[in-house]
Amino acid sequence: MSKPLKSSQAMPLSGGVRVPGDKSISHRALMFGALAVGESRIEGLLEGDDVLRTAAAMRALGAEVERLEDGSWRLWGRGVGGLQEPADVLDLGNSGTGARLMMGLVATHPFTTIFTGDASLRSRPMKRVSEPLSRMGARFFTREGGRLPAAVVGTDNPLPIVYELPVASAQVKSAILLAGLNTPGITTVIEKEATRDHTELMLRNFGATVDVEYLEDGRHAISVTGFPELTGRHVVVPADPSSAAFPAVAALIVPGSEITLRGVGMNPLRTGLYTTLQEMGADICFQDAREEGGEPVADLLIRASRLRGVEVPAERAPSMIDEYPILAVAAAFATGTTRMNGLSELRVKESDRFAAVMRGLVACGVKVEEEGDTMVVHGTGAPPPGGGTVAVNLDHRIAMSFLVLGMASGQPVTVDDAEAIETSFPGFETLMNGLGAKIETV
């Protein structure tokens, strides 16, 4: 059943909140805890549908996973190489991260795993993962185009590889490194552009040997040594910087707003949006910088600001690939033109986000153009007309982005189905309304 929501002009947003835990780190904490020896405890785990699907999958692969009364999670792992064949199909719902990383986990275990997901996930390409994992010895049986459902027949004689990523992808990098944990020797991934490094940081924290070598031509090689003994750890998950982007932009565009977002992850490979917003003139202060669970975090004080158009370089895309939809909303309110370069990866996310953002902006009266892999948004320095109904296509970030646009546009904005928001930001509507938004069921 669909869940249409309407967002109308908000009062000035105010207050302090903590958005849900980081989705990328939550997935990895569950997986690495399942591979560790002994008990792991996770605090701040994102309890959205994507992550809960990963928790269920790790149970199916033999780990003990339970939620405790205090809201933390406890895992008792199986050790590297100790996963067991699941009795049923693993349904990862909407989670590309869960599916791709888990394919890496099982590729070097000698059993068969069948993966499926919702209509959105079943439409997303998996060849970028299956191709390198096949080189390591796994076999893949998929639908046409390498799409789910897919059967992964793991190998009992895995081979280490050196693999250069054809496109920047933390998911593909991570899948290969996870397969390398249960592979003799050293498995190496070479990146042309740095992608989020949560896998490397957390694997080291659990006891793996992960080396990074910076090559002369600007590339760098990430290597993992096979058969480590991972040991259970206490993991504190920071607030998700991608989720924080929505109230952050809302506070920037709703006149008179001032909010604080607490404990937001500030990994430098995830903060491209905040760099870009500051270049646009955003009033964002980073307070009480600290480290939690091996990751840098800070509190963000954000005040309403007059934004100006900027040129966003293509090399920044890996550090903000999930944030382009909400950046496009900010650009709609800015004075002048914003050019976002290097957005090819947006076409293969939960939906074709490039097309979805453009359709949504047009529906809300914003002038936008496509120039190859560049999106050009023409802001006017004033609230856009709004009034549109935006097709979400099961994409949580499209839904949240256009609900934010409706908070400051001339007329309310409606999204046709906000159900997918639960995959990454449970309680989004309640949190935003608590700050002063006016989001309601249609």
Side-chain angles (χ1 to χ4, degrees):
M1 180 181 295
S2 64
K3 180 185 178 182
L5 290 179
K6 179 176 71 174
S7 179
S8 305
Q9 282 191 359
M11 301 291 289
L13 304 184
S14 64
V17 293
R18 181 183 174 96
V19 302
D22 186 284
K23 186 163 69 159
S24 296
I25 295 174
S26 292
H27 282 300
R28 289 161 172 80
L30 289 168
M31 293 183 194
F32 300 170
L35 293 177
V37 174
E39 181 180 287
S40 292
R41 290 285 292 273
I42 308 172
E43 293 182 35
L45 188 83
L46 170 64
E47 295 184 353
D49 185 69
D50 278 11
V51 174
L52 296 180
R53 300 269 185 165
T54 292
M58 300 324 297
R59 288 191 194 98
L61 290 164
E64 294 181 25
V65 184
E66 62 175 335
R67 186 184 190 277
L68 305 178
E69 289 185 1
D70 64 1
S72 66
W73 288 68
R74 172 190 172 275
L75 286 88
W76 194 266
R78 303 274 302 187
V80 170
L83 299 179
Q84 67 182 26
E85 185 171 66
D88 205 345
V89 174
L90 299 185
D91 186 345
L92 277 300
N94 191 246
S95 180
T97 301
R100 290 186 176 122
L101 268 61
M102 220 165 294
M103 286 180 174
L105 281 184
V106 302
T108 51
H109 284 73
F111 53 71
T112 298
T113 310
I114 299 173
F115 292 87
T116 192
D118 67 10
S120 172
L121 186 59
R122 294 196 306 274
S123 72
R124 298 177 68 181
M126 295 293 161
K127 277 188 176 180
R128 57 178 59 183
V129 172
S130 64
E131 198 278 329
L133 294 178
S134 295
R135 296 189 191 184
M136 300 181 77
R139 290 180 292 151
F140 288 76
F141 300 90
T142 68
R143 290 171 57 226
E144 184 179 359
R147 302 180 193 279
L148 301 184
V152 182
V153 181
T155 177
D156 58 1
N157 187 30
L159 300 172
I161 62 172
V162 176
Y163 186 77
E164 183 163 344
L165 294 178
V167 296
S169 172
Q171 293 178 0
V172 178
K173 172 181 68 174
S174 298
I176 297 167
L177 294 177
L178 295 186
L181 292 174
N182 197 39
T183 299
I186 296 174
T187 297
T188 301
V189 178
I190 298 174
E191 290 187 317
K192 299 174 186 175
E193 301 170 342
T195 63
R196 57 184 66 176
D197 60 353
H198 302 306
T199 294
E200 298 95 302
L201 292 174
M202 193 177 293
L203 278 179
R204 287 194 188 107
N205 188 44
F206 273 84
T209 299
V210 181
D211 296 309
V212 179
E213 180 184 0
Y214 295 92
L215 307 178
E216 291 183 359
D217 57 3
R219 299 176 302 159
H220 57 285
I222 305 101
S223 300
V224 64
T225 302
F227 305 137
E229 180 166 305
L230 305 184
T231 305
R233 289 288 186 266
H234 178 209
V235 178
V236 178
V237 180
D240 194 320
S242 297
S243 295
F246 301 102
V249 170
L252 292 173
I253 64 175
V254 175
S257 297
E258 180 177 322
I259 66 170
T260 300
L261 303 175
R262 296 191 289 266
V264 178
M266 287 286 107
N267 185 303
L269 296 174
R270 294 285 302 281
T271 55
L273 172 73
Y274 299 98
T275 299
T276 303
L277 290 173
Q278 287 185 313
E279 290 173 355
M280 296 174 75
D283 185 351
I284 303 176
C285 296
F286 301 95
Q287 301 178 327
D288 191 19
R290 57 200 185 274
E291 188 173 288
E292 292 180 0
E295 292 275 350
V297 304
D299 300 333
L300 275 56
L301 174 63
I302 302 164
R303 300 182 181 94
S305 306
R306 291 185 62 83
L307 303 177
R308 57 183 175 270
V310 295
E311 182 102 8
V312 188
E315 56 267 24
R316 195 173 290 169
S319 70
M320 57 181 296
I321 194 64
D322 288 331
E323 286 76 70
Y324 283 107
I326 190 62
L327 176 61
V329 168
F333 288 81
T335 299
T337 299
T338 296
R339 296 175 57 88
M340 294 170 272
N341 300 295
L343 303 192
S344 60
E345 190 70 7
L346 276 194
R347 302 184 190 278
V348 292
K349 301 297 284 184
E350 281 81 339
S351 64
D352 180 347
R353 280 188 181 152
F354 196 115
V357 169
M358 291 192 62
R359 285 194 302 267
L361 290 176
V362 170
C364 294
V366 179
K367 184 181 178 183
V368 57
E369 297 171 312
E370 176 181 359
E371 298 177 0
D373 289 329
T374 295
M375 185 183 300
V376 184
V377 179
H378 298 278
T380 63
T389 296
V390 178
V392 169
N393 297 319
L394 299 176
D395 194 316
H396 51 121
R397 299 197 194 279
I398 297 298
M400 289 186 281
S401 295
F402 284 97
L403 289 172
V404 168
L405 189 149
M407 294 176 197
S409 56
Q411 296 295 321
V413 174
T414 300
V415 298
D416 66 346
D417 186 5
E419 194 68 40
I421 291 174
E422 291 298 308
T423 65
S424 69
F425 200 145
F428 171 78
E429 180 183 353
T430 300
L431 182 144
M432 294 305 303
N433 285 343
L435 291 172
K438 295 181 181 177
I439 302 173
E440 57 188 342
T441 304
V442 178

